[in-house]
Amino acid sequence: MKQVWNEFEQWLKTNRPKAVGTLNEAAGESEIAAVEQKMGLTFPKNLKDWLMIHNGQRDEYIAVIENYTLLPLEEILYTWQTLKELLDGGEFEDFPEIEPIGPVKKKKFGGTHVGFRLPRMGEEMIFV
């Protein structure tokens, strides 16, 4: 993960130099464990390694890739809690059932990743 971050930071310096200064310091293992406990899950090793290099970025509206910013732990937890409250409250009941696909091997970043992509018009949501 360190090598991937080094390459990514070099790319940022060339392509998004303002974003480099928004990266947070590393999160500690205990901080990560506390968020995992609150969420009732264990983060993938790659995510933990990433957070222990940079805990996301400061909210300065400077995206690192396109319009995306890197969420720090507190924002990951807040977003998860908000979406869970909506889910538990039945806000997503009108959506068709979604079945995940995965895990999928990703060559660029190594390891196994589980995620999703948003559907194109007329497609169902695909998890990868």
Side-chain angles (χ1 to χ4, degrees):
M1 184 56 70
K2 189 71 168 169
Q3 177 62 33
V4 171
W5 261 110
N6 288 338
E7 291 174 19
F8 182 62
E9 287 183 36
Q10 289 304 314
W11 182 89
L12 282 176
K13 288 176 185 175
T14 302
N15 297 284
R16 298 246 198 261
K18 291 180 181 178
V20 174
T22 68
L23 297 173
N24 289 325
E25 296 297 319
E29 288 184 42
S30 62
E31 293 173 276
I32 295 169
V35 171
E36 288 175 321
Q37 183 177 14
K38 288 177 184 175
M39 293 173 71
L41 53 79
T42 301
F43 290 148
K45 182 180 180 333
N46 283 347
L47 178 57
K48 289 181 187 183
D49 290 347
W50 167 2
L51 290 166
M52 288 190 288
I53 296 170
H54 288 292
N55 182 12
Q57 67 182 118
R58 289 184 297 285
D59 188 10
E60 296 181 18
Y61 301 104
I62 300 173
V64 292
I65 300 173
E66 295 182 5
N67 292 327
Y68 298 102
T69 59
L70 304 175
L71 295 179
L73 278 169
E74 62 270 9
E75 287 296 319
I76 291 170
L77 178 60
Y78 174 78
T79 301
W80 178 84
Q81 288 171 329
T82 301
L83 291 173
K84 184 166 181 351
E85 286 175 17
L86 291 170
L87 178 65
D88 292 347
E91 291 295 323
F92 301 115
E93 289 179 1
D94 292 338
F95 290 89
E97 191 169 320
I98 300 169
E99 294 187 28
I101 300 171
V104 176
K105 286 285 191 180
K106 300 286 185 174
K107 291 182 181 178
K108 177 67 177 169
F109 296 105
T112 302
H113 304 272
V114 177
F116 69 94
R117 72 169 173 81
L118 295 176
R120 294 185 186 100
M121 188 64 81
E123 286 184 340
E124 293 183 24
M125 187 174 291
I126 304 290
F127 284 75
V128 294

